[in-house]
Amino acid sequence: MYRFSNTVIGFLNLFTLLASIPIIGAGLWMARSSTTCENFLQTPLLVIGFVVLVVSLAGFIGACFHVACALWLYLVVMLFLIAALMGLTIFGFGVTSKGGGVEVPGRVYKEYHLQDYSPWLTKRIQDPRYWSTIRSCILGSKTCEKLASWTPLDYMQRDMSPIQSGCCKPPTACTYNMAAMMMTQDPDCYRWNNAPNLLCYECDSCKAGVLEDIRGNWHKLSVLTVTMLVLLIGIYSIGCCAFRNTRRAETDYPYGENRMTKVRPRWDYHWWRWLHDRKEQLY
């Protein structure tokens, strides 16, 4: 039974080793694609794929072939992965705790406001370089083209995604008659343009819609990261047992080293020996 942990950790790392191959393949496929959104995601996928591949390979070799140094490297990297994943999970829950849509009277869809989200996300989305990447992504996905054939009744009865609500139409409260043009309105009302390549892509509502989409995806990812964190902690515990068993197996004594070692005498041994010799001389 003492080798059971080695067998379990070997099978688990074989599974993660095979799972890392499609992750790396997806990252390489995105690297060859011309779509901006896919290029934006390729680096994290490649990094995650290669880290999982190297860690799983080290754990598999160390557990199955009793290589203590490989298992030691595996445990060290696993500890950093657990710490990084825990930090990412806490950070994800922190920055996505704010936000959400606002109900629009007489409409099914919701509208979103940039000031409702966390300062970190807001600052990130307002960066011109970052926003140009996201804007190109939305244009490439042709999200707003799906609304081109909608009738006024469809806008009353049908729902929209956060990006469609923020980017493909002006805010519902906007009015464009001559009397309303003299009134103070939401700045997004003046950013709206009917041109298919402009629409409301520079509106704060569009950026808020993107943040709401990111927020929803991040919440789903956080559930996955918590599950992965629990799984990695369990695998790390089994890996510690496998490392201990591998160190024992190197000595050919499964239940610990059974070698004779030189025992150092206590500090009073020499005094006791000297007194004993003196006593023998007297008698």
Side-chain angles (χ1 to χ4, degrees):
M1 292 295 294
Y2 85 99
R3 295 178 185 267
F4 177 73
S5 58
N6 294 63
T7 305
V8 172
I9 204 70
F11 275 111
L12 288 175
N13 282 282
L14 179 62
F15 173 76
T16 54
L17 178 65
L18 296 176
S20 66
I21 296 175
I23 297 176
I24 297 174
L28 293 175
W29 179 77
M30 288 181 179
R32 299 186 52 164
S33 175
S34 59
T35 305
T36 307
C37 301
E38 294 172 351
N39 287 335
F40 181 71
L41 294 174
Q42 67 169 354
T43 302
L45 278 177
L46 287 174
V47 171
I48 292 173
F50 278 113
V51 169
V52 172
L53 177 66
V54 173
V55 172
S56 301
L57 186 61
F60 179 77
I61 293 175
C64 296
F65 298 98
H66 305 291
V67 181
C69 60
L71 268 179
W72 180 84
L73 176 64
Y74 168 77
L75 292 176
V76 170
V77 177
M78 276 283 289
L79 186 61
F80 280 107
L81 280 178
I82 291 173
L85 192 59
M86 186 177 297
L88 177 64
T89 303
I90 296 173
F91 176 77
F93 278 118
V95 298
T96 59
S97 59
K98 297 181 179 180
V102 177
E103 299 284 348
V104 181
R107 302 290 194 274
V108 179
Y109 58 82
K110 297 180 180 180
E111 290 187 339
Y112 306 90
H113 305 287
L114 195 59
Q115 63 269 19
D116 293 339
Y117 294 87
S118 69
W120 186 87
L121 284 178
T122 302
K123 183 179 180 181
R124 179 75 172 173
I125 202 72
Q126 287 179 325
D127 186 344
R129 293 176 297 178
Y130 185 80
W131 179 245
S132 64
T133 301
I134 298 298
R135 187 178 186 278
S136 300
C137 173
I138 299 172
L139 281 170
S141 65
K142 300 180 179 180
T143 302
C144 292
E145 290 186 7
K146 301 174 184 178
L147 276 64
S149 60
W150 279 24
T151 64
L153 185 61
D154 290 328
Y155 281 92
M156 297 286 291
Q157 297 179 345
R158 300 179 66 175
D159 196 6
M160 299 182 190
S161 68
I163 294 178
Q164 287 176 334
S165 176
C167 304
C168 305
K169 65 170 187 59
T172 307
C174 295
T175 55
Y176 292 99
N177 53 45
M178 292 303 297
M181 294 298 291
M182 304 300 295
M183 300 170 55
T184 302
Q185 299 192 84
D186 190 323
D188 286 344
C189 297
Y190 306 105
R191 298 187 182 109
W192 163 259
N193 193 300
N194 286 322
N197 62 331
L198 296 176
L199 298 181
C200 216
Y201 292 130
E202 296 301 328
C203 298
D204 287 345
S205 62
C206 184
K207 298 174 182 178
V210 172
L211 289 185
E212 181 62 25
D213 191 64
I214 294 173
R215 179 174 174 266
N217 292 332
W218 210 329
H219 279 176
K220 296 176 184 177
L221 181 62
S222 296
V223 175
L224 178 62
T225 54
V226 170
T227 305
M228 287 294 297
L229 188 60
V230 174
L231 180 62
L232 286 177
I233 291 175
I235 295 176
Y236 184 80
S237 301
I238 299 173
C240 291
C241 296
F243 177 72
R244 183 182 60 185
N245 293 338
T246 301
R247 291 293 302 271
R248 288 175 175 176
E250 285 183 345
T251 64
D252 295 328
Y253 295 99
Y255 299 100
E257 294 186 3
N258 190 21
R259 299 176 177 175
M260 296 295 295
T261 58
K262 182 183 292 185
V263 179
R264 293 185 178 180
R266 283 173 39 176
W267 63 272
D268 59 343
Y269 169 77
H270 297 288
W271 291 101
W272 176 86
R273 189 70 182 175
W274 181 79
L275 290 174
H276 179 74
D277 291 343
R278 297 293 295 176
K279 183 179 179 181
E280 291 292 332
Q281 292 176 1
L282 292 175
Y283 295 100

